[in-house]
Every structure is written in structure tokens, then in C-alpha cells.
């Protein structure tokens, strides 16, 4: 039986409706590589019974997004440099992340998801990091071709002995990059699991988490079927979700 994984939705507007949705690559990687069933959670913020939801799922997957966490969530002043926002997603994802950590539910946070994880635990974000001294440009290549935008194009180095290294090994791995924000002040509850060559934090884990609680700034979902480190991440997440489901089932007996 496929264990259920909660996926917080983005809100988009088209065809005169507001839609709550998640991009297919995350869902495909969840089903086909992690072997779990993604359950889309609409971005209704405080209307969501997070403890009740977490009692019925065995994992949480936070997707990337073009939108940014609203700067008021980490004490910064809003500006056009921080836009676009999705405050409905923030109001849903931040409590969901905190609840998953508190309940020990396996958590995989990707790109915006890593940024939400840091903010949910008291950290802050920098915006337009490509303008910071010594930083590379981590934004997506300009292209209408998604394979080009998500191409693998820079190295990250996993911290020896860390949670990420146990999944992908300690040799440097190559990743894609589609972000203009990054961790500024790292939450005291997070450990750095990998950095890019310019020092950008590229992966984190929750200190003391009983199981899988990892955030990555890149997009393993996009090449999860063919790229070994990407596949290993989703396989490890799936294994953690199944282990949690097993404990769940035992507790229910
Ligand atoms: N908006 C934030 C988070 C980055 C992120 O999740 N990128 C995914 C973008 C997907 C796409 O462009 O198709 C940031 O820019 O740092």
C-alpha cells in the first residue's frame, strides 16, 4: 500500500479561478521513485488541522516555487526585490513543517521548501543573492526549455558524516539551480549538510530529528529517474516514509 505524503500547494490564478496546485515533477518523483502517494494539501492556512493531517500521513514533501516566503515571516521589510509572494502557501507550509518536525514525520523540503524550513525554525533569508559579494548566480538559465532551466550545472559538497552524505556519499555532487534567495541566518535547529563553491548553503537537516528531515536548495525531483544523487534522495525519503508508516500501523494495533 502506498503511504501518503502531504504536499503543500501553491496558489495560482488562471481561467478566472484561484487554483491550489503542485508541479508534476515533484509528484512524479514521489510516486515513481519514492513509492509514495502525494496528497495535495490546499493552502488554507489556519483552516488546516495540521495535527490531524499529520496523524494520517507518513511524510511531508515541500516543493519549490517561483514565489518567495513573505519577508515579514523573518522580520525583513517587504520590497519588490522579495516578490512574488504566496502568503496562503506560507500560512500553510510553515505550520505544517513545524508540526511534522514536532511529530517526527519524515520531511523532505526542496528549494522554497528549504527556505520555508529555515524560516519556520527561526532563520532568515537573503534575496537576490547573485548580487552579494562573492556569490555566483544561482538563478535558472533563461530558456523556454525546462530541461535547460533544470540542467545540472554546479557542484555542492556534502558535509562528511552528515545526513546528506549518508544518502549521496561525501564526494561532491552536481546539481541544478533555480533560486535567487538563500539562507541568510541559519536556524539554530538546522545543520548545514552541503554548500556550493561560493558558500551558499545548499542542504540542511533538522538537528536531533529521529528520521529523515532534510532540505535541499536544488531540484532532485526533476531528474529523479535518471540522476543518481537525485534518485537516492527520493529513495531515502520513501524508505523513511515507509518506516514511519510501519510504526504508525504497529501503534494502531
Ligand atoms: N523563489 C525562491 C525559491 C526557489 C525555488 O523554489 N525555485 C523553483 C523555481 C521553479 C521554476 O522556476 O520553474 C527563490 O527564488 O529562491
Amino acid at each position: 500500500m502506498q503511504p501518503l505524503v502531504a504536499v503543500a500547494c501553491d496558489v495560482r490564478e488562471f481561467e478566472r479561478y484561484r487554483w491550489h496546485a503542485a508541479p508534476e515533477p515533484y509528484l512524479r518523483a514521489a510516486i515513481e521513485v519514492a513509492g509514495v502517494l502525494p496528497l495535495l494539501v490546499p493552502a488554507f492556512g489556519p483552516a488546516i488541522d495540521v495535527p490531524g493531517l499529520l496523524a494520517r500521513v507518513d511524510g511531508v514533501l515541500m516543493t519549490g516555487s517561483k514565489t518567495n516566503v513573505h519577508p515579514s515571516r523573518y522580520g525583513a521589510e517587504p520590497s519588490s526585490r522579495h516578490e512574488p509572494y504566496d502568503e496562503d502557501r506560507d500560512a500553510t507550509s510553515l505550520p505544517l513543517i513545524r508540526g511534522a518536525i514536532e511529530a517526527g514525520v519524515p520531511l523532505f523540503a526542496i528549494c522554497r521548501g528549504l527556505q520555508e524550513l529555515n524560516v519556520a525554525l527561526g532563520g532568515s533569508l537573503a534575496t537576490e543573492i547573485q548580487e552579494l559579494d562573492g556569490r555566483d548566480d544561482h538563478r535558472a538559465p533563461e530558456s523556454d526549455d525546462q530541461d535547460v532551466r533544470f540542467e545540472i550545472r554546479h557542484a555542492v559538497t556534502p558535509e562528511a558524516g552528515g545526513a546528506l552524505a549518508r544518502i549521496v556519499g561525501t564526494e561532491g555532487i552536481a546539481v541544478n539551480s533555480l533560486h535567487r534567495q538563500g539562507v541568510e541566518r541559519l536556524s539554530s535547529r538546522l545543520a548545514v549538510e552541503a554548500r556550493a563553491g561560493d558558500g551558499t548553503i545548499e542542504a540542511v537537516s533538522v538537528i536531533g530529528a529521529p528520521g529523515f528531515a532534510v532540505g535541499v536548495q536544488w531540484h532532485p525531483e526533476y531528474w529523479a529517474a535518471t540522476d543518481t544523487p537525485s534518485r537516492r534522495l527520493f529513495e531515502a525519503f520513501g524508505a523513511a516514509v515507509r518506516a514511519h508508516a510501519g510504526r504508525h500501523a504497529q501503534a494502531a494495533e
Side-chain angles (χ1 to χ4, degrees), residues 64-68 111-112 115 149-150 178-181 219:
S65 176
K66 285 183 185 292
T67 66
N68 297 317
C111 209
R112 191 197 211 260
Q115 297 167 358
R149 298 182 70 245
F150 281 85
L178 297 91
H179 62 105
R180 49 190 257 259
Q181 296 199 328
H219 289 272

Side-chain angles (χ1 to χ4, degrees), residues 18-247:
R18 278 166 52 90
W19 296 68
H20 296 237
E24 183 178 283
Y26 303 92
L27 310 179
R28 181 175 299 281
I31 292 178
E32 296 183 353
V33 183
V36 301
L37 181 61
L39 186 70
L40 297 190
V41 178
F44 279 88
I48 305 284
D49 169 12
V50 169
L53 171 62
L54 292 171
R56 286 174 283 177
V57 300
D58 292 299
V60 173
L61 174 62
M62 303 306 298
T63 71
S65 176
K66 285 183 185 292
T67 66
N68 297 317
V69 178
H70 196 279
S72 63
R73 295 285 184 167
Y74 49 91
E77 279 305 308
S79 76
S80 59
R81 289 165 58 82
H82 293 88
E83 295 174 0
Y85 303 132
D86 182 346
E87 294 193 73
D88 294 304
R89 168 155 172 177
D90 296 344
T92 305
S93 58
L94 299 180
L96 182 55
I97 288 169
R98 286 191 280 263
I101 293 167
E102 187 175 329
V105 174
L107 170 66
F108 191 10
I110 295 174
C111 209
R112 191 197 211 260
L114 175 148
Q115 297 167 358
E116 289 169 326
L117 172 58
N118 186 50
V119 170
L121 299 183
S124 67
L125 305 177
T127 195
E128 304 304 351
I129 60 172
Q130 67 279 356
E131 296 175 6
L132 301 176
D133 286 346
R135 294 295 190 93
D136 299 333
D137 189 343
H138 290 252
R139 293 174 296 181
E142 289 291 331
S143 173
D144 291 334
D145 181 342
Q146 286 287 70
D147 286 356
V148 171
R149 298 182 70 245
F150 281 85
E151 67 189 7
I152 302 282
R153 58 195 182 88
H154 77 71
V156 301
T157 306
E159 295 287 328
L164 179 70
R166 286 193 291 275
I167 297 168
V168 302
T170 52
E171 294 300 309
I173 60 172
V175 300
N176 47 27
S177 190
L178 297 91
H179 62 105
R180 49 190 257 259
Q181 296 199 328
V183 172
E184 182 176 63
R185 183 183 72 252
L186 181 70
S187 163
S188 59
R189 296 188 57 192
L190 296 177
V192 174
E193 292 286 347
R195 289 183 187 269
D198 66 356
T200 298
I201 291 174
E202 289 280 346
V204 299
S205 64
V206 177
I207 296 169
F212 192 104
V214 172
V216 295
Q217 190 64 80
W218 66 91
H219 289 272
E221 81 285 351
Y222 195 82
W223 302 109
T226 56
D227 171 66
T228 300
S230 301
R231 179 170 45 77
R232 285 178 177 168
L233 275 165
F234 271 91
E235 287 174 342
F237 176 56
V241 167
R242 277 185 289 282
H244 187 273
R247 291 191 295 274

